[in-house]
Amino acid sequence: DNILEVRNLKKHFKSKNGTLHAVDDVSFSIKRGQTLGLVGESGCGKSTIGRLILGLHQATSGEILFNGQDICKMNKAQIHNLRKELQIIFQDPFASLNPRMTIGEIIGEPLLIYKKVKRRAELDSEVRRLMDVVGLSKRFINSYPHELDGGRRQRVGIARALSLNPQFIVCDEPVSSLDVSIQAQVLNLLKDLQAEYGLTYLFITHDLSVVKYFSDKIAVMYLGQLVEGAESDELFKKT
Ligand code: ADP
Ligand code: ADP
């Protein structure tokens, strides 16, 4: 049961120096409830794949089937609707969280945009529930992003991503800007959430050790192409 199937995906960026094949004929699939680790050095095209899946870039060619529906063929309204099922967590929550909004407002915003709550009190209790789910103390509800450390900010990003109860989350370097001691906590949280909600992850990272114990399958990218793909235990099999 593949929740996501990427087929012959290409993304070219044109510049005055020519055409950059950022994603060059990439195919892979992810089974529902599993994690695919997408690894490779900086600049090889991982984030571009993440953005294509989110519908933030227009593909040059290829298909991205999400529950059988091609994201590449969706219009703006369909992409908007897709957000309820497909979310993203970014590397640097400080860059992706609005600095003028409180933690409570940031977590609750998708619920308002998608009209998932009708009354103020309902919004407030849902935000508090989400803070519980990600292990964030409610004393931060009226704080601003700069008042939190990196690990707590990433918990805010995760709570916001979870707010619409999605099936699939693109995790784009979610722990790369965190201290090593905090990385394990956030990875464990993501793992627990996956078990609890049956989430599917595309886990993008330049750090193979981060996905080693986390991914069911690993795909290795190099210069826009997939150069290796394997079941995780196969790739790390002791010889
Ligand atoms: P990674 O996530 O693996 O670090 P990216 O997907 O961010 O790699 O980038 C892949 C390549 O595409 C890089 O050479 C990058 O500079 C280029 N690139 C990414 N986004 C754009 C863009 N919007 N316009 C032009 N080039 C881009
Ligand atoms: P990140 O990988 O954390 O998203 P980047 O610095 O790679 O940060 O990219 C920041 C923004 O600039 C992104 O929107 C990306 O698409 C764009 N970008 C990246 N590389 C290029 C490039 N070579 N030319 C134009 N835009 C780019």
Side-chain angles (χ1 to χ4, degrees):
D1 181 16
N2 289 330
I3 186 167
L4 191 86
E5 275 186 58
V6 171
R7 293 183 185 158
N8 305 107
L9 188 63
K10 294 187 187 178
K11 178 63 184 176
H12 298 170
F13 291 112
K14 293 227 163 54
S15 72
K16 55 181 189 301
N17 303 322
T19 303
L20 174 73
H21 295 223
V23 178
D24 193 9
D25 202 11
V26 166
S27 301
F28 60 84
S29 60
I30 311 182
K31 288 201 176 73
R32 196 177 299 278
Q34 293 207 333
T35 298
L36 176 72
L38 184 61
V39 302
E41 62 194 85
S42 181
C44 72
K46 306 181 299 296
S47 289
T48 302
I49 290 180
R51 291 202 183 93
L52 286 163
I53 292 171
L54 266 287
L56 301 174
H57 276 321
Q58 193 70 47
T60 303
S61 63
E63 295 179 327
I64 302 171
L65 302 176
F66 180 70
N67 289 322
Q69 300 273 85
D70 191 354
I71 292 170
C72 300
K73 292 203 176 72
M74 288 184 183
N75 61 30
K76 277 221 165 79
Q78 289 169 313
I79 294 290
H80 180 79
N81 243 341
L82 183 70
R83 278 295 162 280
K84 289 186 249 179
E85 306 299 343
L86 209 163
Q87 281 285 332
I88 187 162
I89 300 166
F90 293 103
Q91 168 174 2
D92 185 358
F94 200 48
S96 60
L97 304 180
N98 187 333
R100 287 182 196 80
M101 284 167 71
T102 65
I103 301 312
E105 288 167 346
I106 290 168
I107 295 172
E109 190 183 42
L111 296 165
L112 288 175
I113 293 174
Y114 287 86
K115 300 183 170 61
K116 287 262 182 172
V117 289
K118 289 185 185 65
R119 283 189 312 275
R120 197 84 220 163
E122 198 184 339
L123 177 66
D124 192 59
S125 78
E126 185 58 13
V127 166
R128 286 169 186 276
R129 187 189 68 80
L130 286 160
M131 291 178 84
D132 264 340
V133 164
V134 300
L136 192 63
S137 164
K138 261 109 60 195
R139 71 191 156 97
F140 294 115
I141 194 163
N142 293 316
S143 303
Y144 289 87
H146 73 270
E147 298 174 293
L148 272 57
D149 60 38
R152 291 196 176 100
R153 277 203 293 267
Q154 193 53 286
R155 287 176 197 270
V156 175
I158 294 169
R160 184 182 159 100
L162 286 177
S163 63
L164 299 172
N165 198 19
Q167 304 174 36
F168 189 104
I169 300 181
V170 173
C171 306
D172 189 355
E173 303 273 8
V175 299
S176 302
S177 65
L178 302 178
D179 293 343
V180 172
S181 58
I182 309 290
Q183 287 190 6
Q185 294 175 16
V186 172
L187 289 173
N188 284 331
L189 171 64
L190 288 171
K191 214 169 178 169
D192 290 347
L193 293 171
Q194 179 168 47
E196 181 150 357
Y197 300 107
L199 294 166
T200 308
Y201 293 140
L202 176 66
F203 196 104
I204 296 173
T205 180
H206 66 281
D207 185 351
L208 198 54
S209 66
V210 163
V211 288
K212 191 169 167 179
Y213 299 103
F214 193 80
S215 304
D216 299 288
K217 271 165 83 179
I218 295 198
V220 184
M221 267 189 99
Y222 182 73
L223 294 178
Q225 299 187 320
L226 284 191
V227 292
E228 167 130 43
E231 302 293 323
S232 195
D233 49 359
E234 198 178 308
L235 199 63
F236 294 104
K237 197 159 50 190
K238 292 202 181 70
T239 49

